[in-house]
Amino acid sequence: MRVVFLGSPAFAAPSLNRLVEHDNIDVVLVVTQPDRPAGRGRKLTPPAVKTAATTLGLQVFQPETLRDDASVQVLEDAQPDLLVVVAYGELLRRNVLNLTPHGCLNVHPSLLPQYRGASPIPTAILNGDATTGVSIMKLVRKLDAGPVVSQVQINIRPEDTTGSLGERLADLAAAILPDVALRYVAGELTPIEQDEAAASHTREWSTADAEIDWMTSARQIDRLVRASHPWPVAWTTDDDTRLRIHAASVAPDDSTLNAPPGTVAFDRGQVLVATRDGTLVLNQVQPAGKRVMAATDWWRGSRRTQAVFNRSSSKL
């Protein structure tokens, strides 16, 4: 089976690797986003999928868009039986979706129709869901609304961050994708239409979404910290300076601070912050312009006995 693979971030790389490893699948072309400036030095950096494809010796195509006829012709010239999309980064037009005899399969990291859109993984963590999963669906013009070909569920662990959960979902998608693609093309799997009445949607996160409101509960803030890692990273303000919270946990009941929300104190070798309901333990923080450090090191370096974070500050 001849496959054109479309994907860009690290989440997509395991799927590409597993497709290439399969004896009955020939990945004839990899389509990914152009190299973009990244990091503090704004160095031109290739997408993770380009790096993986180059290592595998695959042909790589990096158009600015697939909305022009010349770019679509490159895909058509590859004569694929199927397009496979994993986090490519562009909504595909109808002429691309209809390019192959079997259409286009897409991997989405949620149990569709739940959490369509850009941020299903952090949304599942933030909402305190017990489970999530991977859906493989047939792409249609409406975002993440196509009929589902296969779906697999996994548990969300109490310590999961968007980073750790994303890695497990990427591996899960890679494990099932080759067999699902082959069986789908062979007519052994029947796509099932999604229940529109049960659909929910997510949007792309921003730095503003990661600001901590100490007037919420410790449990909700813990979820925000995990959902926001590794990006955009939860943050608060300390003396009008941004402090990023990389890791935290809910304090046991016997460590509860009897203080207004946002009050910071050092007790029993831990940095504690009072919330509206419960107390949060800060484990790893990053002051503005400095490295990530243990919260205890940050506190000792501040030489304070108590502090108060802004409960819900203006966006800096």
Side-chain angles (χ1 to χ4, degrees):
M1 182 173 68
R2 293 173 63 85
V3 168
V4 168
F5 183 88
L6 297 89
S8 297
F11 180 87
S15 288
L16 175 61
N17 289 330
R18 291 296 287 268
L19 288 170
V20 171
E21 290 171 0
H22 201 287
D23 292 338
N24 295 325
I25 296 175
D26 184 11
V27 179
V28 294
L29 179 66
V30 174
V31 184
T32 189
Q33 293 291 313
D35 296 1
R36 308 286 191 198
R40 290 186 177 180
R42 307 304 292 163
K43 181 180 178 181
L44 204 61
T45 303
V49 162
K50 178 185 179 179
T51 302
T54 302
T55 301
L56 293 166
L58 301 174
Q59 181 181 353
V60 177
F61 180 46
Q62 293 179 273
E64 284 290 342
T65 179
L66 286 174
R67 292 176 182 148
D68 62 83
D69 293 339
S71 295
V72 176
Q73 188 63 50
V74 173
L75 274 65
E76 189 172 357
D77 289 345
Q79 299 181 327
D81 299 304
L82 181 71
L83 299 185
V84 174
V85 178
V86 186
Y88 172 57
E90 181 180 327
L91 190 63
L92 302 181
R93 300 174 73 182
R94 187 170 288 105
N95 60 341
V96 176
L97 299 179
N98 296 334
L99 193 66
T100 74
H102 302 283
C104 181
L105 290 185
N106 179 69
V107 171
H108 186 75
S110 81
L111 298 174
L112 291 171
Q114 185 180 45
Y115 302 151
R116 296 174 180 176
S119 57
I121 299 174
T123 301
I125 294 174
L126 185 65
N127 288 347
D129 294 352
T131 60
T132 186
V134 165
S135 301
I136 299 179
M137 63 176 172
K138 185 174 180 179
L139 268 185
V140 297
R141 280 291 295 162
K142 187 175 180 181
L143 182 64
D144 298 330
V148 174
V149 176
S150 182
Q151 197 169 75
V152 180
Q153 177 176 295
I154 62 170
N155 293 330
I156 298 177
R157 297 168 180 164
E159 70 278 9
D160 263 329
T161 64
T162 289
S164 66
L165 182 56
E167 289 177 1
R168 290 200 290 125
L169 290 171
D171 290 341
L172 177 62
I176 67 172
L177 181 57
D179 181 63
V180 169
L182 287 165
R183 293 180 63 199
Y184 167 71
V185 169
E188 297 174 7
L189 297 175
T190 301
I192 299 173
E193 296 291 339
Q194 296 185 39
D195 180 3
E196 286 295 322
S200 59
H201 300 81
T202 68
R203 59 175 175 79
E204 190 170 350
W205 279 35
S206 69
T207 301
D209 294 313
E211 183 184 7
I212 295 172
D213 181 356
W214 298 104
M215 294 301 293
T216 57
S217 71
R219 191 166 302 280
Q220 185 66 18
I221 297 170
D222 168 62
R223 291 173 184 164
L224 176 64
V225 171
R226 292 186 290 111
S228 302
H229 202 273
W231 189 90
V233 182
W235 60 276
T236 188
T237 50
D238 175 36
D239 288 338
D240 295 325
T241 302
R242 184 173 294 187
L243 179 72
R244 304 171 86 188
I245 312 298
H246 283 260
S249 56
V250 179
D253 291 341
D254 61 357
S255 296
T256 298
L257 287 180
N258 185 19
T263 302
V264 191
F266 189 78
D267 184 57
R268 305 181 195 181
Q270 295 180 312
V271 180
L272 306 176
V273 188
T275 73
R276 177 186 57 79
D277 181 11
T279 299
L280 195 75
V281 181
L282 302 188
N283 296 320
Q284 288 188 320
V285 302
Q286 185 178 16
K290 297 185 178 180
R291 61 176 177 82
V292 179
M293 63 183 69
T296 51
D297 292 340
W298 163 76
W299 182 255
R300 292 188 181 104
S302 71
R303 298 182 178 180
R304 291 178 290 185
T305 58
Q306 195 175 72
V308 180
F309 292 147
N310 288 3
R311 292 183 181 179
S312 183
S313 65
S314 59
K315 306 299 186 282
L316 297 180

